[in-house]
Amino acid sequence: MARLDADKVRPMDDSSPIRDFPKYGRPLVCVNGVYGKAVAWSHSYGLIEWLDVSGKYHLGWAQSASIKRVTAEEWKGSSGL
């Protein structure tokens, strides 16, 4: 359900195809201090999932320039993902 909601608010300035990462091979990322996992990507955006401090699940699009891939040692996200 969260994926459908995220796809509804996909930025309209990017009509390139969306490609999904494999469920068990999603890259660890950091977007402006928020740690999560990349779910999918297009030419200009990435779809990121993360848990906030209360444990609530979020899924949203971020510009590719703001997404930084991080190593497992650098990642500070929730192990609940």
Side-chain angles (χ1 to χ4, degrees):
M1 192 63 145
R3 175 67 185 260
L4 293 175
D5 291 339
D7 286 343
K8 288 178 188 174
V9 295
R10 179 181 177 208
M12 300 307 286
D13 63 342
D14 182 14
S15 60
S16 62
I18 299 171
R19 296 184 176 105
D20 291 340
F21 286 105
K23 181 171 177 84
Y24 297 104
R26 294 179 174 164
L28 303 175
V29 297
C30 181
V31 181
N32 300 323
V34 174
Y35 289 85
K37 292 183 181 179
V39 175
W41 80 98
S42 68
H43 178 72
S44 301
Y45 294 91
L47 184 60
I48 310 301
E49 65 178 357
W50 73 96
L51 297 176
D52 64 21
V53 293
S54 70
K56 183 177 178 188
Y57 180 81
H58 297 273
L59 189 65
W61 290 97
Q63 289 186 330
S64 57
S66 66
I67 302 170
K68 180 185 178 220
R69 199 173 206 160
V70 295
T71 65
E73 294 78 28
E74 296 171 307
W75 196 66
K76 298 177 182 146
S78 171
S79 61
L81 286 178

Coordinates of all heavy atoms in Angstrom, one line a residue:
M1 N 0.8 -1.2 0.0 CA 0.0 0.0 0.0 C 0.9 1.3 0.0 O 0.6 2.2 -0.7 CB -0.9 0.0 1.2 CG -2.0 1.0 1.2 SD -3.0 0.6 -0.2 CE -4.6 1.1 0.4
A2 N 1.9 1.3 0.8 CA 2.8 2.4 0.9 C 3.4 2.7 -0.5 O 3.6 3.8 -0.9 CB 3.9 2.2 1.9
R3 N 3.8 1.6 -1.3 CA 4.4 1.8 -2.6 C 3.4 2.5 -3.5 O 3.8 3.4 -4.3 CB 4.8 0.5 -3.1 CG 5.4 0.5 -4.5 CD 6.7 1.3 -4.6 NE 7.1 1.4 -6.0 CZ 8.1 0.7 -6.5 NH1 8.6 -0.3 -5.9 NH2 8.5 0.9 -7.8
L4 N 2.1 2.1 -3.5 CA 1.1 2.8 -4.3 C 1.0 4.2 -4.0 O 0.9 5.1 -4.9 CB -0.2 2.1 -4.2 CG -0.3 0.6 -4.7 CD1 -1.6 0.0 -4.4 CD2 0.0 0.6 -6.2
D5 N 1.0 4.6 -2.7 CA 0.9 6.0 -2.3 C 2.1 6.8 -2.7 O 2.0 7.9 -3.2 CB 0.7 6.0 -0.8 CG -0.6 5.5 -0.3 OD1 -1.5 5.5 -1.1 OD2 -0.7 5.2 0.9
A6 N 3.3 6.2 -2.6 CA 4.5 6.8 -3.1 C 4.5 7.1 -4.6 O 4.9 8.1 -5.0 CB 5.7 6.1 -2.6
D7 N 4.0 6.1 -5.3 CA 4.0 6.2 -6.8 C 3.0 7.3 -7.2 O 3.2 7.9 -8.2 CB 3.7 4.9 -7.4 CG 4.8 3.9 -7.4 OD1 6.0 4.4 -7.2 OD2 4.6 2.7 -7.6
K8 N 2.0 7.5 -6.4 CA 1.0 8.6 -6.7 C 1.7 10.0 -6.6 O 1.2 10.9 -7.3 CB -0.2 8.5 -5.8 CG -1.1 7.4 -6.1 CD -2.2 7.3 -5.1 CE -3.0 6.1 -5.2 NZ -4.0 6.0 -4.1
V9 N 2.6 10.2 -5.8 CA 3.3 11.5 -5.6 C 4.7 11.5 -6.2 O 5.5 12.4 -5.9 CB 3.3 11.9 -4.1 CG1 1.9 12.1 -3.6 CG2 4.1 10.9 -3.3
R10 N 4.9 10.6 -7.1 CA 6.2 10.6 -7.9 C 6.4 12.0 -8.6 O 5.4 12.5 -9.2 CB 6.3 9.5 -8.9 CG 7.5 9.4 -9.7 CD 7.5 8.3 -10.7 NE 8.7 8.3 -11.5 CZ 8.8 7.9 -12.7 NH1 7.7 7.4 -13.3 NH2 9.9 8.0 -13.4
P11 N 7.6 12.5 -8.5 CA 7.8 13.8 -9.2 C 7.5 13.7 -10.6 O 7.9 12.8 -11.3 CB 9.3 14.1 -8.9 CG 9.6 13.3 -7.7 CD 8.7 12.1 -7.7
M12 N 6.7 14.7 -11.1 CA 6.2 14.7 -12.5 C 7.3 15.1 -13.5 O 7.1 14.9 -14.7 CB 5.0 15.6 -12.6 CG 3.9 15.2 -11.7 SD 3.4 13.5 -11.9 CE 2.5 13.5 -13.4
D13 N 8.4 15.6 -13.1 CA 9.4 16.1 -14.1 C 10.4 14.9 -14.5 O 11.3 15.1 -15.2 CB 10.3 17.2 -13.5 CG 11.1 16.8 -12.3 OD1 10.7 15.8 -11.6 OD2 12.0 17.6 -11.9
D14 N 10.0 13.7 -14.1 CA 10.8 12.5 -14.5 C 9.9 11.5 -15.1 O 9.2 10.8 -14.3 CB 11.6 12.0 -13.3 CG 12.5 10.9 -13.7 OD1 12.8 10.6 -14.9 OD2 13.0 10.2 -12.8
S15 N 9.9 11.3 -16.4 CA 9.1 10.3 -17.0 C 9.8 9.0 -17.3 O 9.3 8.1 -18.0 CB 8.4 10.8 -18.2 OG 9.4 11.2 -19.2
S16 N 11.1 8.9 -16.9 CA 11.9 7.7 -17.2 C 11.3 6.5 -16.4 O 10.6 6.6 -15.4 CB 13.3 7.9 -16.9 OG 13.5 8.2 -15.5
P17 N 11.6 5.3 -16.9 CA 11.1 4.1 -16.3 C 11.7 3.9 -14.9 O 12.8 4.3 -14.5 CB 11.6 2.9 -17.2 CG 12.5 3.5 -18.2 CD 12.5 5.0 -18.1
I18 N 10.8 3.3 -14.0 CA 11.2 3.0 -12.6 C 11.8 1.6 -12.6 O 11.1 0.6 -13.1 CB 10.0 3.1 -11.7 CG1 9.5 4.5 -11.7 CG2 10.4 2.7 -10.3 CD1 8.2 4.7 -10.9
R19 N 12.9 1.4 -12.0 CA 13.5 0.1 -11.8 C 13.6 -0.2 -10.3 O 14.0 0.6 -9.6 CB 14.9 0.1 -12.5 CG 14.8 0.3 -13.9 CD 16.2 0.2 -14.6 NE 16.1 0.3 -16.0 CZ 16.5 1.4 -16.7 NH1 17.0 2.4 -16.1 NH2 16.3 1.4 -18.0
D20 N 13.2 -1.4 -10.0 CA 13.3 -1.9 -8.6 C 14.6 -2.6 -8.2 O 15.1 -3.3 -9.0 CB 12.1 -2.8 -8.3 CG 10.7 -2.2 -8.3 OD1 10.7 -0.9 -8.2 OD2 9.7 -2.9 -8.4
F21 N 15.0 -2.3 -7.0 CA 16.1 -3.1 -6.5 C 15.6 -4.4 -6.0 O 14.4 -4.5 -5.5 CB 16.8 -2.4 -5.3 CG 17.7 -1.2 -5.7 CD1 17.2 0.0 -5.5 CD2 18.9 -1.5 -6.3 CE1 18.0 1.1 -5.9 CE2 19.7 -0.4 -6.7 CZ 19.3 0.9 -6.5
P22 N 16.3 -5.5 -6.0 CA 15.8 -6.8 -5.4 C 15.5 -6.6 -3.9 O 16.2 -5.9 -3.2 CB 17.0 -7.8 -5.6 CG 17.9 -7.1 -6.5 CD 17.7 -5.7 -6.5
K23 N 14.5 -7.3 -3.4 CA 14.1 -7.1 -2.0 C 15.2 -7.3 -1.1 O 15.3 -6.6 -0.1 CB 12.9 -8.0 -1.7 CG 12.4 -7.9 -0.3 CD 11.2 -8.6 -0.1 CE 10.7 -8.5 1.4 NZ 10.0 -7.4 1.7
Y24 N 16.1 -8.3 -1.3 CA 17.1 -8.6 -0.4 C 18.5 -8.0 -0.8 O 19.5 -8.4 -0.3 CB 17.2 -10.1 -0.2 CG 16.0 -10.6 0.4 CD1 15.0 -11.3 -0.3 CD2 15.7 -10.4 1.8 CE1 13.8 -11.8 0.2 CE2 14.5 -10.8 2.3 CZ 13.6 -11.5 1.6 OH 12.4 -12.0 2.1
G25 N 18.5 -7.1 -1.8 CA 19.7 -6.5 -2.2 C 19.6 -5.0 -2.3 O 20.3 -4.4 -3.1
R26 N 18.8 -4.4 -1.4 CA 18.6 -3.0 -1.5 C 19.8 -2.2 -0.8 O 20.2 -2.6 0.3 CB 17.3 -2.6 -0.7 CG 16.1 -3.2 -1.4 CD 14.8 -2.8 -0.7 NE 13.7 -3.3 -1.6 CZ 12.5 -3.4 -1.1 NH1 12.2 -3.1 0.1 NH2 11.5 -3.8 -1.9
P27 N 20.3 -1.2 -1.6 CA 21.4 -0.5 -1.0 C 21.1 0.3 0.2 O 20.0 0.9 0.3 CB 21.8 0.5 -2.2 CG 21.1 -0.1 -3.4 CD 19.9 -0.8 -2.9
L28 N 22.0 0.4 1.1 CA 21.9 1.3 2.3 C 22.2 2.7 1.9 O 23.2 2.9 1.2 CB 22.8 0.8 3.4 CG 22.6 -0.6 3.9 CD1 23.7 -1.0 4.9 CD2 21.3 -0.8 4.4
V29 N 21.4 3.7 2.2 CA 21.6 5.1 1.8 C 21.3 6.0 2.9 O 20.7 5.7 4.0 CB 20.6 5.4 0.6 CG1 20.9 4.6 -0.6 CG2 19.2 5.3 1.0
C30 N 21.8 7.2 2.7 CA 21.5 8.4 3.6 C 21.1 9.5 2.7 O 21.7 9.9 1.7 CB 22.8 8.7 4.4 SG 22.6 10.1 5.5
V31 N 19.9 10.1 3.1 CA 19.4 11.3 2.4 C 19.2 12.4 3.4 O 18.3 12.3 4.3 CB 18.0 10.9 1.7 CG1 17.5 12.1 1.0 CG2 18.2 9.7 0.8
N32 N 20.0 13.4 3.4 CA 19.9 14.5 4.3 C 19.8 14.1 5.7 O 19.0 14.6 6.5 CB 18.8 15.4 3.9 CG 18.9 16.0 2.5 OD1 20.0 16.3 2.0 ND2 17.8 16.0 1.8
G33 N 20.7 13.2 6.1 CA 20.7 12.7 7.5 C 19.7 11.6 7.9 O 19.7 11.2 9.0
V34 N 18.9 11.2 6.9 CA 17.9 10.1 7.2 C 18.5 8.9 6.6 O 18.8 8.8 5.4 CB 16.6 10.5 6.6 CG1 15.6 9.3 6.7 CG2 16.0 11.7 7.2
Y35 N 18.6 7.8 7.4 CA 19.2 6.6 6.9 C 18.1 5.6 6.5 O 17.1 5.4 7.3 CB 20.1 5.9 8.0 CG 21.4 6.7 8.2 CD1 21.4 7.8 9.0 CD2 22.5 6.3 7.5 CE1 22.6 8.5 9.2 CE2 23.7 7.1 7.6 CZ 23.7 8.1 8.5 OH 24.9 8.8 8.6
G36 N 18.2 5.0 5.4 CA 17.2 4.0 4.9 C 17.7 3.1 3.9 O 19.0 2.9 3.8
K37 N 16.8 2.5 3.1 CA 17.2 1.6 2.0 C 16.6 2.1 0.7 O 15.4 2.6 0.7 CB 16.8 0.2 2.3 CG 17.5 -0.4 3.5 CD 17.1 -1.8 3.7 CE 17.8 -2.4 4.9 NZ 17.4 -3.8 5.1
A38 N 17.3 2.0 -0.4 CA 16.8 2.3 -1.7 C 15.9 1.2 -2.2 O 16.3 0.0 -2.2 CB 17.9 2.6 -2.7
V39 N 14.7 1.5 -2.6 CA 13.8 0.5 -3.1 C 13.7 0.4 -4.6 O 13.7 -0.6 -5.2 CB 12.3 0.8 -2.5 CG1 11.3 -0.1 -3.1 CG2 12.3 0.8 -1.0
A40 N 13.8 1.6 -5.2 CA 13.7 1.7 -6.7 C 14.4 3.0 -7.1 O 14.7 3.9 -6.3 CB 12.2 1.7 -7.1
W41 N 14.6 3.1 -8.4 CA 15.2 4.3 -8.9 C 14.7 4.6 -10.3 O 14.2 3.7 -11.0 CB 16.7 4.3 -8.9 CG 17.3 3.5 -10.0 CD1 17.9 4.0 -11.2 CD2 17.5 2.1 -10.1 NE1 18.3 3.0 -12.0 CE2 18.1 1.8 -11.4 CE3 17.1 1.0 -9.3 CZ2 18.4 0.5 -11.8 CZ3 17.4 -0.3 -9.8 CH2 18.1 -0.5 -11.0
S42 N 14.8 5.9 -10.7 CA 14.6 6.3 -12.1 C 15.8 7.2 -12.5 O 16.8 7.2 -11.7 CB 13.3 7.1 -12.2 OG 13.4 8.4 -11.5
H43 N 15.7 7.9 -13.6 CA 16.9 8.6 -14.0 C 17.3 9.7 -13.0 O 18.4 10.0 -12.8 CB 16.6 9.3 -15.4 CG 17.7 10.1 -15.9 ND1 18.9 9.6 -16.3 CD2 17.8 11.4 -16.0 CE1 19.7 10.6 -16.7 NE2 19.0 11.7 -16.5
S44 N 16.3 10.4 -12.4 CA 16.6 11.5 -11.6 C 16.2 11.4 -10.1 O 16.5 12.2 -9.3 CB 15.8 12.8 -12.1 OG 16.2 13.0 -13.4
Y45 N 15.5 10.3 -9.7 CA 15.0 10.1 -8.4 C 15.2 8.7 -7.8 O 15.4 7.8 -8.6 CB 13.5 10.4 -8.3 CG 13.2 11.9 -8.6 CD1 12.9 12.3 -9.9 CD2 13.2 12.8 -7.6 CE1 12.7 13.6 -10.2 CE2 12.9 14.2 -7.8 CZ 12.7 14.5 -9.1 OH 12.4 15.9 -9.4
G46 N 15.2 8.6 -6.5 CA 15.3 7.3 -5.9 C 14.1 7.2 -4.9 O 13.8 8.1 -4.3
L47 N 13.6 6.0 -4.8 CA 12.5 5.7 -3.8 C 13.2 5.1 -2.6 O 13.8 4.0 -2.7 CB 11.5 4.8 -4.4 CG 10.2 4.5 -3.6 CD1 9.5 5.7 -3.3 CD2 9.3 3.5 -4.3
I48 N 13.0 5.7 -1.5 CA 13.7 5.4 -0.2 C 12.7 4.9 0.8 O 11.7 5.6 1.0 CB 14.5 6.6 0.3 CG1 15.4 7.2 -0.8 CG2 15.3 6.2 1.5 CD1 16.4 6.2 -1.4
E49 N 13.0 3.9 1.6 CA 12.2 3.5 2.7 C 13.0 3.7 4.0 O 14.2 3.5 4.0 CB 11.8 2.0 2.6 CG 12.9 1.0 2.7 CD 12.4 -0.4 2.6 OE1 11.2 -0.7 2.6 OE2 13.2 -1.3 2.6
W50 N 12.4 4.1 5.1 CA 13.0 4.3 6.3 C 12.0 4.3 7.5 O 10.8 4.4 7.2 CB 13.8 5.6 6.3 CG 12.9 6.9 6.4 CD1 12.6 7.6 7.6 CD2 12.3 7.6 5.4 NE1 11.8 8.7 7.3 CE2 11.6 8.7 5.9 CE3 12.2 7.4 4.0 CZ2 10.9 9.6 5.2 CZ3 11.5 8.2 3.2 CH2 10.8 9.3 3.8
L51 N 12.5 4.0 8.7 CA 11.7 4.1 9.9 C 12.1 5.3 10.7 O 13.3 5.6 10.8 CB 12.0 2.8 10.8 CG 11.6 1.5 10.1 CD1 12.0 0.4 11.1 CD2 10.1 1.4 9.9
D52 N 11.1 6.1 11.1 CA 11.4 7.3 12.0 C 11.7 6.8 13.4 O 11.7 5.6 13.7 CB 10.4 8.3 11.9 CG 9.0 7.9 12.4 OD1 9.0 6.9 13.3 OD2 8.0 8.5 12.1
V53 N 12.0 7.8 14.3 CA 12.4 7.4 15.6 C 11.4 6.7 16.4 O 11.6 6.0 17.3 CB 12.9 8.7 16.4 CG1 14.2 9.2 15.8 CG2 11.8 9.7 16.4
S54 N 10.1 6.9 16.0 CA 9.0 6.2 16.7 C 8.8 4.8 16.1 O 7.9 4.0 16.6 CB 7.7 7.0 16.6 OG 7.2 7.0 15.3
G55 N 9.5 4.5 15.0 CA 9.3 3.2 14.4 C 8.3 3.2 13.3 O 8.0 2.1 12.7
K56 N 7.8 4.3 12.9 CA 6.8 4.4 11.8 C 7.5 4.3 10.5 O 8.5 4.9 10.2 CB 6.1 5.8 11.9 CG 5.0 5.9 10.8 CD 4.2 7.2 11.0 CE 3.2 7.3 9.8 NZ 2.5 8.6 9.8
Y57 N 6.9 3.5 9.6 CA 7.5 3.3 8.2 C 7.2 4.4 7.3 O 6.0 4.9 7.3 CB 6.9 1.9 7.7 CG 7.4 1.6 6.3 CD1 8.6 1.0 6.2 CD2 6.6 1.8 5.2 CE1 9.1 0.6 4.9 CE2 7.1 1.4 3.9 CZ 8.3 0.8 3.8 OH 8.7 0.5 2.6
H58 N 8.2 4.8 6.5 CA 8.0 5.8 5.5 C 8.6 5.4 4.2 O 9.5 4.6 4.1 CB 8.7 7.1 5.9 CG 8.2 7.7 7.1 ND1 7.1 8.6 7.1 CD2 8.6 7.6 8.4 CE1 6.9 9.0 8.4 NE2 7.7 8.4 9.2
L59 N 8.0 5.9 3.1 CA 8.5 5.6 1.7 C 8.3 6.8 0.9 O 7.2 7.4 0.9 CB 7.6 4.4 1.1 CG 8.1 3.8 -0.2 CD1 9.4 3.1 0.0 CD2 7.0 2.8 -0.6
G60 N 9.4 7.3 0.3 CA 9.3 8.6 -0.4 C 10.4 8.7 -1.5 O 11.4 8.1 -1.4
W61 N 10.1 9.6 -2.4 CA 11.0 9.9 -3.5 C 12.0 11.0 -3.1 O 11.7 12.0 -2.4 CB 10.3 10.4 -4.7 CG 9.5 9.3 -5.4 CD1 8.2 9.0 -5.2 CD2 10.0 8.3 -6.2 NE1 7.8 7.9 -5.9 CE2 8.9 7.4 -6.6 CE3 11.2 8.0 -6.8 CZ2 9.0 6.4 -7.4 CZ3 11.3 6.9 -7.7 CH2 10.3 6.1 -8.0
A62 N 13.3 10.9 -3.5 CA 14.3 11.9 -3.2 C 15.1 12.1 -4.5 O 15.3 11.1 -5.3 CB 15.2 11.4 -2.1
Q63 N 15.6 13.3 -4.7 CA 16.4 13.6 -5.9 C 17.7 12.8 -5.8 O 18.3 12.6 -4.7 CB 16.7 15.0 -6.0 CG 15.6 15.9 -6.4 CD 15.9 17.3 -6.6 OE1 16.9 17.8 -6.0 NE2 15.2 17.9 -7.5
S64 N 18.1 12.2 -6.9 CA 19.3 11.3 -6.9 C 20.5 12.1 -6.4 O 21.4 11.4 -5.7 CB 19.6 10.8 -8.3 OG 19.7 11.8 -9.2
A65 N 20.6 13.4 -6.6 CA 21.8 14.1 -6.1 C 21.9 14.2 -4.6 O 23.0 14.4 -4.0 CB 21.8 15.5 -6.7
S66 N 20.8 14.0 -3.9 CA 20.8 14.0 -2.4 C 20.9 12.7 -1.8 O 21.0 12.6 -0.6 CB 19.5 14.7 -1.9 OG 18.3 13.9 -2.2
I67 N 21.0 11.6 -2.6 CA 21.1 10.3 -2.1 C 22.6 9.9 -2.0 O 23.2 9.9 -3.1 CB 20.3 9.3 -2.9 CG1 18.8 9.7 -3.0 CG2 20.5 7.8 -2.4 CD1 18.0 8.9 -4.0
K68 N 23.0 9.4 -0.9 CA 24.4 9.0 -0.7 C 24.4 7.5 -0.3 O 23.8 7.2 0.7 CB 25.1 9.8 0.3 CG 26.6 9.3 0.5 CD 27.3 10.1 1.7 CE 28.7 9.5 1.8 NZ 29.1 9.4 3.2
R69 N 25.0 6.7 -1.1 CA 25.1 5.3 -0.7 C 26.1 5.2 0.4 O 27.2 5.8 0.4 CB 25.6 4.5 -1.9 CG 25.3 3.0 -1.8 CD 25.6 2.3 -3.1 NE 24.9 1.2 -3.2 CZ 24.6 0.5 -4.3 NH1 25.1 1.0 -5.5 NH2 23.9 -0.6 -4.3
V70 N 25.8 4.4 1.5 CA 26.7 4.2 2.6 C 27.0 2.7 2.8 O 26.3 1.8 2.4 CB 26.1 4.8 3.9 CG1 26.0 6.3 3.8 CG2 24.8 4.2 4.2
T71 N 28.1 2.5 3.5 CA 28.4 1.1 3.9 C 27.6 0.7 5.1 O 27.1 1.5 5.8 CB 29.9 1.0 4.2 OG1 30.2 1.7 5.4 CG2 30.8 1.5 3.0
A72 N 27.7 -0.6 5.4 CA 27.0 -1.1 6.6 C 27.5 -0.5 7.9 O 26.8 -0.3 8.8 CB 27.1 -2.7 6.6
E73 N 28.8 -0.2 7.9 CA 29.5 0.4 9.1 C 29.0 1.8 9.3 O 28.9 2.3 10.4 CB 31.0 0.3 9.0 CG 31.6 -1.1 9.0 CD 31.4 -1.8 7.7 OE1 31.4 -1.2 6.6 OE2 31.3 -3.1 7.7
E74 N 28.8 2.5 8.2 CA 28.3 3.9 8.3 C 26.9 4.1 8.5 O 26.4 5.1 9.0 CB 28.6 4.6 6.9 CG 30.1 4.7 6.6 CD 30.3 5.3 5.2 OE1 29.6 4.7 4.2 OE2 31.0 6.3 5.0
W75 N 26.1 3.1 8.2 CA 24.6 3.1 8.2 C 24.1 3.2 9.6 O 24.5 2.4 10.5 CB 24.0 1.9 7.5 CG 22.6 2.1 7.1 CD1 22.1 2.9 6.2 CD2 21.5 1.3 7.6 NE1 20.7 2.7 6.1 CE2 20.4 1.7 7.0 CE3 21.4 0.3 8.6 CZ2 19.1 1.2 7.2 CZ3 20.2 -0.2 8.8 CH2 19.0 0.2 8.1
K76 N 23.2 4.1 9.9 CA 22.6 4.3 11.2 C 21.1 4.1 11.2 O 20.4 4.7 12.0 CB 23.0 5.7 11.8 CG 24.5 5.9 11.9 CD 24.8 7.2 12.4 CE 26.4 7.4 12.5 NZ 26.8 8.7 12.2
G77 N 20.6 3.3 10.3 CA 19.2 3.1 10.2 C 18.7 2.1 11.2 O 19.5 1.5 11.9
S78 N 17.4 1.8 11.1 CA 16.8 0.9 12.0 C 16.9 -0.5 11.4 O 16.8 -0.7 10.2 CB 15.3 1.2 12.1 OG 14.6 0.1 12.8
S79 N 17.3 -1.5 12.2 CA 17.4 -2.9 11.8 C 16.0 -3.5 11.4 O 15.9 -4.6 11.0 CB 18.1 -3.7 12.8 OG 17.3 -3.7 14.0
G80 N 15.0 -2.7 11.7 CA 13.6 -3.2 11.4 C 13.3 -3.2 9.9 O 12.2 -3.7 9.6
L81 N 14.1 -2.6 9.1 CA 13.8 -2.6 7.7 C 14.2 -3.9 7.0 O 15.1 -4.5 7.3 CB 14.5 -1.4 7.0 CG 14.0 0.0 7.2 CD1 14.9 1.0 6.5 CD2 12.6 0.1 6.8

